[in-house]
């Protein structure tokens, strides 16, 4: 199937800091007729508050419900490049909904790279711990089995955004 004829969504999953948002922006240069969506940003816009505020005020369970409802809606659309929040792929219902109309790419990134990218960020509620690197490692251990359910695994180690985008494009054309 050729890229220009394929209307399936491109969905990017992986750990917080894996580069999903940056890769989505890079891909948008190659898929001009696709919309870019970032689920965390969409949730913040829907809720009119930050992810941290949602977690603090209503808890992770509430956040995951809002996230699940949003993914159910967006998975019915075509021609999207969607960057998922790092934890959204732990929900089987999200995976099932996304698989109906998407090609899902897991951006596999090592913990050291992730930590270096996000160590100074303050808006990640699950990483507000005494040892964020250990927390990241624990999250990856818990989530990797789910991430591996993606259609394609892209190892991002030592690759530029353009190299990652080209690899995704190549795989997308095949499927």
């Amino acid at each position: 199937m050729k890229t220009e004829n394929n209307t399936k969504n491109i969905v990017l999953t992986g750990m917080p800091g894996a580069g999903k948002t940056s890769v989505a922006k890079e891909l948008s240069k190659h898929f001009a007729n696709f919309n870019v969506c970032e689920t965390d940003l969409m949730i913040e816009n829907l809720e009119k508050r930050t992810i941290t505020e949602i977690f603090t005020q209503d808890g992770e369970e509430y956040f995951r419900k809002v996230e699940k409802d949003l993914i159910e809606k967006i998975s019915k659309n075509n021609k999207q490049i969607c960057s998922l929040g790092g934890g959204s792929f732990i929900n089987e219902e999200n995976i099932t909904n996304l698989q109906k109309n998407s090609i899902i790419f897991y951006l596999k990134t090592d913990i050291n790279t992730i930590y270096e990218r996000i160590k100074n960020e303050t808006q990640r509620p699950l990483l507000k711990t005494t040892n964020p690197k250990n927390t990241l490692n624990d999250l990856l251990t818990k989530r990797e089995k789910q991430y591996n359910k993606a259609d394609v695994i892209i190892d991002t180690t030592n690759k530029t955004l353009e190299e990652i985008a080209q690899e995704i494009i190549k795989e997308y054309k095949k499927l």
Side-chain angles (χ1 to χ4, degrees), residues 9-96:
N9 298 319
I10 296 171
V11 172
L12 306 175
T13 191
M15 287 290 289
K20 300 177 298 284
T21 299
S22 298
V23 171
K25 287 177 185 169
E26 186 66 30
L27 283 169
S28 72
K29 297 174 187 174
H30 301 275
F31 293 86
N33 60 339
F34 277 46
N35 291 320
V36 176
C37 65
E38 184 177 345
T39 58
D40 281 353
L41 185 59
M42 293 172 81
I43 290 169
E44 287 182 340
N45 290 336
L46 281 169
E47 290 285 314
K48 296 183 179 23
R49 53 193 173 144
T50 67
I51 302 296
T52 301
E53 289 169 334
I54 296 167
F55 267 72
T56 302
Q57 295 165 9
D58 294 310
E60 183 176 2
E61 187 176 326
Y62 174 82
F63 173 80
R64 296 295 174 205
K65 165 87 171 85
V66 173
E67 182 178 62
K68 181 182 77 62
D69 293 345
L70 175 66
I71 288 172
E72 185 176 351
K73 287 178 188 167
I74 65 174
S75 66
K76 294 174 183 172
N77 297 328
N78 291 321
K79 293 186 173 186
Q80 297 179 112
I81 301 166
C82 291
S83 170
L84 301 180
S88 58
F89 217 64
I90 59 176
N91 182 312
E92 284 293 333
E93 204 173 327
N94 289 345
I95 295 170
T96 300

Side-chain angles (χ1 to χ4, degrees), residues 97-130:
N97 282 327
L98 290 165
Q99 286 174 330
K100 292 174 188 172
N101 194 32
S102 304
I103 299 171
I104 304 164
F105 295 87
Y106 165 32
L107 301 185
K108 187 177 178 114
T109 310
D110 70 89
I111 291 298
N112 290 329
T113 300
I114 291 171
Y115 179 71
E116 286 304 312
R117 287 180 185 165
I118 67 174
K119 67 183 178 185
N120 297 320
E121 293 183 16
T122 58
Q123 77 276 17
R124 298 186 186 267
L126 291 179
L127 299 179
K128 291 187 177 194
T129 64
T130 54

